[in-house]
């Protein structure tokens, strides 16, 4: 079955540690996205990539980094510079740019203490 | 830049109707609608492209007025399964920006 996988579902880290969230898709989609969701809030765009080896900052990129070395993979690193990293992180993909339907992964809930 | 959704929350009895509005201050190329159940990923409902089209999905339909930069989602004869948070996403060809959501609860 085609889809998007994110791992792990729950992640716990100590403050000051970098952590990498995995996102893989087998839909052959060109575009991939990372969103952050806080309780009772909408989805805020962290980074997006419309093609391999290229990515752009979203609205809240500070303290995060990404790479897009393969079409199917778009890992997100939450660095120690991110002041409030505890949140629900969602990865999504679309066949092309933002005008197309986005398919979301199940999300990773990150807790930093 | 973030679209504004109204109302923030809606409580319905099964069979009742609801309208959720989404308004942007920027010119739009398309509007997306998604529904998210608690603790789950958002699920796509529909996309409306500029041109004032209206779309339907079962008993859920939507309209898009590009001149007013507004979209509305119509839920008719609501079912328990319609409960969740509804997000609109506005696209100005650069990226999709989501609204803060409208929480819909349907009770028997």
């Amino acid at each position: 079955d085609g889809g998007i996988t994110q791992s792990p579902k729950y992640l716990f880290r100590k403050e000051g540690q970098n952590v990498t969230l995995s996102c893989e898709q087998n839909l052959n989609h060109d575009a991939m996205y990372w969103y952050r969701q806080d309780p009772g809030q909408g989805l805020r765009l962290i980074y997006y990539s419309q093609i391999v080896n290229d990515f752009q900052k979203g609205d809240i990129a500070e303290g995060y980094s990404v790479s897009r070395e393969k079409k199917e993979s778009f890992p997100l690193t939450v660095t120690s510079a991110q002041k409030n990293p505890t949140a629900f992180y969602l990865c999504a993909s679309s066949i092309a740019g933002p005008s197309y339907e986005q398919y979301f992964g199940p999300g990773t809930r990150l807790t930093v203490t | 830049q973030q679209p504004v959704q109204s109302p923030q929350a809606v409580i319905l009895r099964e069979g009742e109707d609801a309208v959720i509005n989404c308004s942007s201050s920027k010119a739009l190329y398309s509007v997306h609608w998604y529904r998210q159940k608690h603790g789950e990923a958002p699920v796509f409902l529909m996309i409306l492209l500029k041109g004032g089209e209206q779309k339907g999905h079962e008993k859920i339909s939507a309209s898009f007025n590009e001149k007013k930069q507004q979209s509305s989602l119509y839920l008719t004869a609501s079912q328990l399964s319609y409960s969740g948070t509804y997000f609109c996403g506005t696209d100005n060809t650069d990226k999709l920006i989501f609204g803060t959501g409208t929480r819909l609860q349907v009770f028997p």
Side-chain angles (χ1 to χ4, degrees):
Chain A
D1 283 335
I4 300 181
T5 56
Q6 289 184 245
S7 60
K9 192 170 175 65
Y10 298 95
L11 191 54
F12 298 88
R13 280 294 183 270
K14 292 289 187 185
E15 202 173 307
Q17 293 178 334
N18 290 355
V19 59
T20 297
L21 280 57
S22 165
C23 177
E24 304 276 332
Q25 54 100 358
N26 61 3
L27 299 167
N28 200 32
H29 285 174
D30 283 325
M32 296 186 75
Y33 314 85
W34 274 105
Y35 295 94
R36 170 183 172 137
Q37 188 172 35
D38 294 286
Q41 304 269 330
L43 304 164
R44 292 186 290 168
L45 183 65
I46 305 173
Y47 269 99
Y48 61 106
S49 167
Q50 298 203 37
I51 197 167
V52 174
N53 292 323
D54 188 42
F55 48 83
Q56 287 78 42
K57 292 182 179 180
D59 298 318
I60 56 166
E62 188 175 343
Y64 299 97
S65 66
V66 293
S67 63
R68 187 86 187 277
E69 296 176 3
K70 298 187 295 182
K71 188 175 183 177
E72 59 270 21
S73 178
F74 192 40
L76 173 76
T77 297
V78 184
T79 75
S80 56
Q82 168 49 232
K83 294 191 182 349
N84 295 298
T86 295
F88 188 45
Y89 290 88
L90 286 158
C91 178
S93 71
S94 64
I95 193 166
S99 300
Y100 293 86
E101 172 186 351
Q102 292 191 14
Y103 294 78
F104 284 83
T108 292
R109 193 167 297 279
L110 174 66
T111 302
V112 177
T113 56
Chain B
Q1 190 175 2
Q2 186 176 29
V4 176
Q5 288 186 235
S6 64
Q8 289 185 318
V10 183
I11 298 175
L12 299 173
R13 291 283 182 193
E14 259 186 305
E16 292 181 338
D17 302 340
V19 180
I20 300 172
N21 300 301
C22 175
S23 178
S24 174
S25 59
K26 301 187 86 171
L28 303 175
Y29 182 75
S30 69
V31 176
H32 300 215
W33 286 97
Y34 291 79
R35 177 172 60 209
Q36 185 180 29
K37 303 269 185 185
H38 183 69
E40 299 179 6
V43 173
F44 171 78
L45 293 176
M46 65 189 79
I47 290 176
L48 299 102
L49 301 177
K50 66 179 182 179
E53 66 172 309
Q54 189 149 352
K55 273 195 171 182
H57 175 71
E58 297 177 342
K59 293 180 181 176
I60 301 174
S61 62
S63 63
F64 175 28
N65 187 323
E66 66 186 271
K67 287 183 181 177
K68 291 185 177 179
Q69 295 159 195
Q70 293 175 345
S71 178
S72 294
L73 186 71
Y74 307 93
L75 300 103
T76 58
S78 60
Q79 305 168 14
L80 295 176
S81 63
Y82 287 3
S83 293
T85 301
Y86 290 77
F87 294 101
C88 70
T90 54
D91 156 37
N92 61 354
T93 76
D94 178 29
K95 55 190 176 183
L96 193 65
I97 303 296
F98 284 93
T100 52
T102 295
R103 189 175 176 192
L104 184 85
Q105 292 179 280
V106 182
F107 291 96

